[in-house]
Amino acid sequence: MATSSFTKKTLGVEANDSGKARSADSGQPAFPKKPKITPSKAKRREIPEGLWTKCPKCSLMLYDKELDENLKVCKQCSHHFPIGARERIHSLVETCSFEEMDAEMTSVDALKFTGASSYASKLDAYRKNTSLKDAVITGIGKINSIRVALGVMDFQFLGGSMGSVVGEKLTRLIETGTAKELPVVIISCSGGARMYEGMLSLMQMAKTCAALAYHGRSRLPFISVLTHPTTAGVMASFATIGDLIIAEPAAMIGFAGPRVIKDTTQSELPPGFQTAEFLRDRGLIDAIVSRKEMKGRLTSYLEFMTEGRTARHA
Amino acid sequence: MKNYLDFEKPIAELQRKMDELQRHREAHGIEISLDKEIRQIKKKISEERRRIFSDLTPWQRVQLARHPKRPYTLDYIRTVFSDFAELHGDRLYGNDQAMVGGFAKIGDQKVVVLGTQKGRDTKENIRRNFGSAHPEGYRKALRLMRLADKFSLPIITLIDTAGAYPGIAAEERHIAEAIAVNLREMILMEVPIIAMVIGEGGSGGALGVGVADRVLILENAYYSVISPEGCAAILWKDRSAAPKAAEALKITARDLLELSLVDEIIPEPLGGAHNDVEVTAATVKERLLANLKELTAVGTKERLEQRYRKYRAHGRFQEGQPVAA
């Protein structure tokens, strides 16, 4: 898949911060980052320069480097390609401002889940293939001059599904936001709750919403950004209780899967069903914002939502 | 007529024999010789029942949870509660009959009781949408809970749904948002909340009225992130692998108690809740009252903190590097 060649822009802060922050309590030997950096660099060199990607919407051939620079948005038709969590964070926060939280937290196979393949082996494979620990990255960073608690999901890791780790990392992020009086911004892309953790996953919905209940009670803003695709358990929890709900253009957004709906209702789905635009027209989504404008728009919204608070405190 | 599940076949067979004997006796007026036989069969039936029900598989429990004779929300409202005054509508769109609720008394305690409601026959099922609520159902539930909160009435929710309804209209009216708002608001309700899974605990549709100080579950009810069939379709590419999925997902009352995801299991009579609704209702009432008493003894602030901590504690993960496989 050509679109996975974007690792060129790794966050400069990641190596410094996560290692520094976690070495104390994780009990790991020194240089926890070293073994990871070497293979990932070697992997990167294997990708030939000058790779092209065909836009699935308008069929234009796009030069990868250009596509990366354009935040993975087609320059001709504005099709939004999937984008990894790290790359997205890089596109939103000021250089070196992002302090990642809980970078070393990992999932465990609490149910000893065995299906066609075991959860444990799936986790191993995804950790190796994505250079991610789980489906969300959280931390405190600055969007322009505004400090925010930022969580970004990554669809590459088990379909961005929410298990205990995603729930716990987001809950800690929200709680930190409440404690430090910071706005929370969560950028979702997820297939829903993680089946392999059974009811532990379902309870992450209640847990994240509980944390947001108290964050909201402190009159702190929460902006939920929905990107392609955001569905099911994530939609039925934190993603739809933002003070603002923003979506990327044409993102697939919904609760039940379209096939399930079709099978259950035995009827044809209306055109554009479960897209960002469909849901904006039906009153769920405040605004559709393209990826390239996201940083500016988030800044502007947050300015409106935080200024009054500063005044109240003064 | 009783409905027997597949695994109850030995019982059904014995029952059929006994019925035959009884019919025979009535038809021919013979008394003495058959009494002994009937007694023997009765004994056998209860032995067989004890044998089968002492070791149910998760999938068998799912079937019991879905049993057509199983008591539903309104059955409990009738038997456990009194003075039920049903309240209708979400004040926004309509009155979802898959979600029922209103004022009621349990013992001397005034409460708001609500829950998902299945239909007993096809006609009622159409009206009740087979117990799968639309957004207006969850919003009606929220309205009733806010009413309870405003007037200091404890909230009791009864859960029995395959899941929130996966339909076009449900999506158009934002079912996900309706559930999520309930999750957020239920954590802040200042009155005690008890949720009780009485049959099927179908994922987000169940959780949407399931955030509580105490989560109780009936012995043969299940509570799952996805239906066993849905999980089987995804992981085994075959819906008939549902028994395997039911096992893997850890959805039985006992599994959930072990994972600390429910607080208490309410025992059912041998053969399941439907086998003796009166006994089930009595147990349910006793346990609800006991839990209510405990919860009302705690101050509001402390109860809310405990509720938050309870949900805060859900999840299993590891802080450091993964253990090498």
Side-chain angles (χ1 to χ4, degrees):
Chain A
M1 205 169 70
T3 48
S4 59
S5 65
F6 58 66
T7 16
K8 284 159 205 147
K9 299 176 186 172
T10 2
L11 281 172
V13 287
E14 183 214 357
N16 311 333
D17 263 297
S18 50
K20 177 182 67 191
R22 284 293 135 197
S23 55
D25 54 7
S26 60
Q28 292 299 316
F31 316 117
K33 283 280 162 186
K34 201 183 175 195
K36 233 184 331 167
I37 285 167
T38 326
S40 81
K41 266 191 179 162
K43 207 169 154 193
R44 226 177 298 158
R45 286 205 191 96
E46 281 165 22
I47 296 161
E49 288 299 324
L51 218 65
W52 296 76
T53 302
K54 190 176 174 184
C55 175
K57 198 176 155 202
C58 72
S59 300
L60 185 72
M61 291 303 288
L62 297 157
Y63 184 42
D64 271 0
K65 204 177 153 215
E66 237 174 42
L67 186 59
D68 283 356
E69 277 161 10
N70 207 33
L71 301 177
K72 298 225 170 294
V73 176
C74 172
K75 63 181 177 185
Q76 179 169 279
C77 72
S78 288
H79 170 73
H80 284 50
F81 286 81
I83 185 171
R86 295 215 178 271
E87 211 182 0
R88 191 186 288 278
I89 292 169
H90 188 81
S91 79
L92 290 173
V93 302
E94 305 317 302
T95 316
C96 295
S97 80
F98 190 72
E99 300 163 43
E100 188 173 344
M101 293 165 59
D102 307 304
E104 300 296 326
M105 194 190 290
T106 50
S107 293
V108 294
D109 183 12
L111 306 187
K112 306 264 173 291
F113 196 105
T114 44
S117 63
S118 79
Y119 181 37
S121 65
K122 270 219 147 64
L123 284 171
D124 272 346
Y126 275 94
R127 278 182 204 127
K128 278 191 194 102
N129 297 337
T130 62
S131 75
L132 292 163
K133 291 272 159 53
D134 214 285
V136 73
I137 295 176
T138 56
I140 310 295
K142 274 170 101 172
I143 299 182
N144 281 312
S145 62
I146 305 170
R147 253 162 67 86
V148 298
L150 176 67
V152 180
M153 302 189 78
D154 198 315
F155 198 77
Q156 285 185 87
F157 197 97
L158 263 166
S161 57
M162 172 160 67
S164 298
V165 167
V166 171
E168 181 68 20
K169 282 175 86 167
L170 286 175
T171 304
R172 288 187 190 182
L173 179 80
I174 298 158
E175 286 178 337
T176 305
T178 310
K180 296 189 171 173
E181 305 196 2
L182 298 174
V184 170
V185 175
I186 300 176
I187 300 181
S188 300
C189 53
S190 171
R194 190 172 295 174
M195 221 166 27
Y196 303 97
E197 291 184 33
M199 281 293 288
L200 290 164
S201 297
L202 194 78
M203 288 304 157
Q204 305 311 310
M205 294 165 60
K207 186 163 102 181
T208 50
C209 287
L212 282 169
Y214 283 96
H215 183 261
R217 208 170 230 202
S218 308
R219 300 207 188 195
L220 293 160
F222 165 42
I223 300 181
S224 171
V225 180
L226 313 179
T227 71
H228 181 78
T230 303
T231 59
V234 164
M235 268 300 274
S237 64
F238 60 86
T240 46
I241 54 171
D243 294 301
L244 298 184
I245 305 175
I246 308 302
E248 280 193 343
M252 192 267 175
I253 298 165
F255 177 62
R259 215 185 44 225
V260 174
I261 297 174
K262 235 176 148 170
D263 289 351
T264 312
T265 60
Q266 298 290 322
S267 51
E268 282 304 305
L269 305 178
F273 186 59
Q274 291 188 320
T275 59
E277 293 74 12
F278 181 89
L279 291 170
R280 178 201 51 202
D281 294 346
R282 280 159 187 78
L284 183 71
I285 285 165
D286 285 284
I288 293 174
V289 177
S290 77
R291 196 174 290 158
K292 292 179 75 184
E293 290 170 15
M294 192 61 80
K295 183 176 174 178
R297 292 286 284 279
L298 287 176
T299 308
S300 157
Y301 295 142
L302 288 169
E303 279 169 356
F304 275 100
M305 295 163 89
T306 50
E307 225 149 82
R309 182 184 169 79
T310 322
R312 267 205 311 278
H313 276 220
Chain B
M1 207 23 222
K2 275 198 142 175
N3 298 60
Y4 287 102
L5 300 168
D6 272 356
F7 62 88
E8 293 178 297
K9 263 196 185 127
I11 302 173
E13 188 55 33
L14 288 167
Q15 186 71 46
R16 195 186 55 78
K17 265 189 200 155
M18 193 166 82
D19 292 348
E20 219 166 70
L21 279 179
Q22 248 150 4
R23 263 200 310 277
H24 191 76
R25 180 169 67 177
E26 277 155 28
H28 301 277
I30 336 165
E31 294 284 327
I32 314 128
S33 62
L34 291 181
D35 264 0
K36 200 176 148 205
E37 296 232 345
I38 288 174
R39 255 205 316 279
Q40 263 178 350
I41 295 180
K42 265 191 181 154
K43 197 174 152 226
K44 252 192 169 168
I45 287 178
S46 73
E47 274 168 11
E48 195 64 15
R49 181 167 279 141
R50 194 156 294 132
R51 185 186 66 76
I52 290 170
F53 280 84
S54 65
D55 192 25
L56 291 174
T57 65
W59 179 242
Q60 287 170 340
R61 288 192 200 275
V62 169
Q63 288 170 283
L64 276 173
R66 293 173 178 167
H67 198 288
K69 296 275 178 191
R70 196 170 171 85
Y72 296 153
T73 294
L74 282 172
D75 299 313
Y76 287 106
I77 289 181
R78 253 178 246 123
T79 50
V80 174
F81 298 81
S82 63
D83 301 273
F84 178 55
E86 188 173 356
L87 302 169
H88 302 85
D90 67 346
R91 300 268 173 91
L92 292 163
Y93 181 82
N95 179 46
D96 190 339
Q97 296 190 67
M99 184 80 73
V100 297
F103 295 129
K105 275 164 82 174
I106 175 164
D108 294 326
Q109 175 73 56
K110 293 188 176 70
V111 298
V112 161
V113 61
L114 59 95
T116 50
Q117 177 66 37
K118 291 179 179 173
R120 201 54 81 184
D121 51 38
T122 311
K123 206 175 144 200
E124 195 195 355
N125 257 325
I126 288 166
R127 197 154 62 83
R128 306 264 183 216
N129 201 31
F130 296 83
S132 284
H134 277 77
E136 43 276 21
Y138 293 96
R139 291 181 182 131
K140 167 159 108 180
L142 180 61
R143 186 176 79 82
L144 297 184
M145 289 191 281
R146 283 188 168 143
L147 207 62
D149 200 40
K150 183 172 178 181
F151 300 108
S152 302
L153 299 168
I155 298 164
I156 295 171
T157 74
L158 306 176
I159 296 165
D160 184 19
T161 178
Y165 189 61
I168 295 167
E171 297 283 328
E172 287 182 319
R173 297 196 290 275
H174 318 309
I175 188 139
E177 190 260 3
I179 292 170
V181 166
N182 285 11
L183 303 188
R184 182 189 64 199
E185 294 304 309
M186 287 182 90
I187 210 81
L188 297 175
M189 294 282 165
E190 292 189 359
V191 294
I193 310 178
I194 301 175
M196 185 166 70
V197 186
I198 57 171
E200 294 191 89
S203 195
L207 187 62
V209 288
V211 175
D213 298 300
R214 296 280 162 83
V215 179
L216 319 181
I217 184 166
L218 261 70
E219 190 184 343
N220 294 313
Y222 80 91
Y223 198 175
S224 181
V225 67
I226 183 168
S227 73
E229 290 89 341
C231 177
I234 296 169
L235 289 189
W236 283 268
K237 314 275 175 228
D238 176 11
R239 290 178 79 82
S240 64
K244 277 190 225 161
E247 187 99 39
L249 284 163
K250 302 278 189 289
I251 60 178
T252 66
R254 213 179 302 162
D255 289 330
L256 297 171
L257 189 69
E258 264 169 39
L259 289 163
S260 309
L261 297 173
V262 299
D263 299 293
E264 186 180 321
I265 299 174
I266 298 178
E268 291 181 28
L270 206 62
H274 60 284
N275 223 28
D276 196 334
V277 179
E278 247 174 69
V279 168
T280 310
T283 319
V284 164
K285 184 172 180 178
E286 194 265 313
R287 292 319 303 152
L288 283 176
L289 282 169
N291 276 286
L292 265 183
K293 199 174 164 197
E294 283 170 30
L295 288 173
T296 40
V298 180
T300 305
K301 191 166 170 265
E302 198 187 332
R303 194 170 51 238
L304 283 173
E305 276 171 21
Q306 284 175 3
R307 194 186 299 157
Y308 185 79
R309 274 204 301 275
K310 171 190 160 84
Y311 284 92
R312 188 65 192 81
H314 290 331
R316 302 274 174 95
F317 51 86
Q318 194 174 314
E319 298 274 355
Q321 297 279 354
V323 183

